[in-house]
Amino acid sequence: MTLGLVLARGGAPAGEAKRARPRIGLSLDTLKEARWQGDRDAFVKRAGELGADVVVQSANSDDVKQVADVKALLTSGIDALVVVAHDGAAMGEAVRLAHASGVPVLSYDRLIRDADVDLFVSCDNVRVGIKQAAYLVEHLPHTREKPLRIVRVLGARTDYNVHQFKQGQDSVLGPLLERGEVKLVFDDWAEDWKPEAAKRIVNAAITQHGDGFDAVLAANDGTAGGAIQALEEEGLTGKVVVTGQDADLVALQRVARGVQAMTIYKPLRTLAGKGAELAVKLATGMPIVARDEVDNGARKVPAVLFDVTVVTRENLRETVIADGFASEQAVYGP
Ligand code: GAL
């Protein structure tokens, strides 16, 4: 546990923004997954409560557009930049552009690599992967004689989170793979997190192995949905255990029906609210205490990381419903 202090960068003297109300630029990769719409809404709401304005841009998963979005935000005059990077490597350019204008940068949810990022706010993404893989290992039998056969659907290769999910998953599966108790019968990346890319991966796995697998280790609920479509076409729904992440409402409904085994509930409203609070502090040059740090290849970035919760059919009511993240009616239907 470290106590990193994020020092104000250039910009306004401590305690004031360059303008009457701090202005925060929020550059999103995409709004296609439901969670990002929730992150955006919670971020804008919290920033507004703190007297700050937020200008939002979404890049539709296009790196060139995301850099152009950042340039437009900087030109419009902002006191802090918050980025959900489509490509953590490509968005180092956003950090350099922002710092050239004396604007601090908060990397949100996905780590921008190899750049002088001021602050990183996310969940503990290695633990996300650990919990996804551990769910399969803890709930499904695996012996040398009858190994647990897994099809893995990773997310977008450009998203550094996926490398951390994979790191967590591999830390659980590695020893069992060596002992022959687990087999990865298929393993691929779903481009830009597209559900249709996930469906193609599971279709290919079925072509190659028929129903010769026991689980799909899907990295998020969107790819889980694509995987489940492929399973449904082969009558394998409910026979193959499927993981996910994000607690998307459609995924919670699948979990309630037993079609998807689990998802990962990230405290997205808390994450977005905290992100907004820290962005306002960056914008007004207030000191920030960050309890964690993450090496992004260029520096140890001060970080605020939240833990996550495994949601299954058994604990839906005690987690996402109790938190008000989803309603009983929405999850279970009429
Ligand atoms: C990841 C994020 C996941 C999931 C995915 C798809 O970076 O950590 O929660 O939402 O993007 O957008």
Side-chain angles (χ1 to χ4, degrees):
M1 179 87 77
T2 57
L3 280 180
L5 187 63
V6 180
L7 300 176
R9 170 180 300 279
E16 308 156 31
K18 296 179 194 125
R19 51 187 59 78
R21 285 169 59 88
R23 234 165 94 89
I24 297 163
L26 174 58
S27 166
L28 297 170
D29 159 17
T30 174
L31 285 165
K32 80 175 182 299
E33 282 86 9
R35 67 140 303 171
W36 298 119
Q37 297 152 35
D39 289 73
R40 174 204 53 200
D41 295 347
F43 185 97
V44 171
K45 177 172 178 289
R46 185 67 185 123
E49 290 166 357
L50 296 168
D53 297 319
V54 183
V55 187
V56 183
Q57 295 272 6
S58 176
N60 303 323
S61 298
D62 177 324
D63 296 329
V64 173
K65 183 175 185 309
Q66 190 161 26
V67 172
D69 286 348
V70 166
K71 286 177 179 171
L73 289 168
L74 291 167
T75 305
S76 74
I78 52 175
D79 303 303
L81 175 67
V82 177
V83 180
V84 178
H86 168 252
D87 180 333
M91 290 314 280
E93 176 65 6
V95 177
R96 285 182 284 280
L97 288 167
H99 286 176
S101 306
V103 173
V105 180
L106 187 157
S107 186
Y108 182 88
D109 193 66
R110 300 173 177 173
L111 188 61
I112 294 173
R113 306 276 300 149
D114 304 316
D116 185 20
V117 174
D118 296 279
L119 185 62
F120 177 48
V121 177
S122 187
C123 293
D124 185 332
N125 293 305
V126 173
R127 274 176 66 78
V128 168
I130 288 170
K131 291 184 174 194
Q132 289 173 323
Y135 177 87
L136 295 180
V137 167
E138 288 162 7
H139 289 82
L140 294 171
H142 46 86
T143 62
R144 287 176 59 84
E145 297 68 33
K146 196 172 178 338
L148 167 56
R149 301 160 299 170
I150 297 173
V151 170
R152 175 157 67 176
V153 179
L154 291 158
R157 198 193 293 266
T158 52
D159 179 349
Y160 187 65
N161 281 4
V162 181
H163 299 268
Q164 293 187 302
F165 303 150
K166 182 179 183 295
Q167 180 189 331
Q169 292 167 1
D170 290 346
S171 71
V172 172
L173 299 177
L176 296 171
L177 286 163
E178 279 168 28
R179 292 205 297 268
E181 294 182 31
V182 168
K183 286 190 185 312
L184 267 184
V185 297
F186 212 92
D187 194 2
D188 205 353
W189 309 76
E191 186 209 0
D192 277 345
W193 290 98
K194 289 175 184 160
E196 54 272 30
K199 181 176 182 296
R200 281 196 297 271
I201 291 169
V202 176
N203 284 144
I206 290 167
T207 301
Q208 204 168 69
H209 300 282
D211 63 356
F213 56 95
D214 311 294
V216 176
L217 179 51
N220 82 323
D221 291 337
T223 51
I228 287 166
Q229 279 178 357
L231 294 173
E232 279 166 351
E233 287 170 1
E234 301 293 326
L236 294 175
T237 313
K239 299 187 184 104
V240 173
V241 172
V242 180
T243 65
Q245 174 188 185
D246 288 336
D248 287 355
L249 179 58
V250 290
L252 297 175
Q253 292 165 342
R254 291 195 295 254
V255 169
R257 294 199 316 270
V259 171
Q260 181 172 329
M262 61 78 82
T263 185
I264 296 281
Y265 170 42
K266 302 162 94 160
L268 296 175
R269 297 217 176 100
T270 306
L271 180 69
K274 189 69 176 173
E277 290 168 18
L278 293 169
V280 170
K281 285 191 171 180
L282 281 176
T284 54
M286 303 300 288
I288 292 167
V289 175
R291 297 197 174 284
D292 302 294
E293 62 181 29
V294 177
D295 189 327
N296 79 337
R299 66 167 298 202
K300 290 197 182 307
V301 181
V304 176
L305 300 180
F306 290 91
D307 201 358
V308 298
T309 307
V310 172
V311 171
T312 64
R313 201 175 194 176
E314 290 69 34
N315 72 350
L316 279 162
R317 287 186 172 85
E318 296 81 61
T319 55
V320 289
I321 293 174
D323 278 12
F325 187 75
S327 72
E328 174 113 7
Q329 170 76 10
V331 171
Y332 292 99

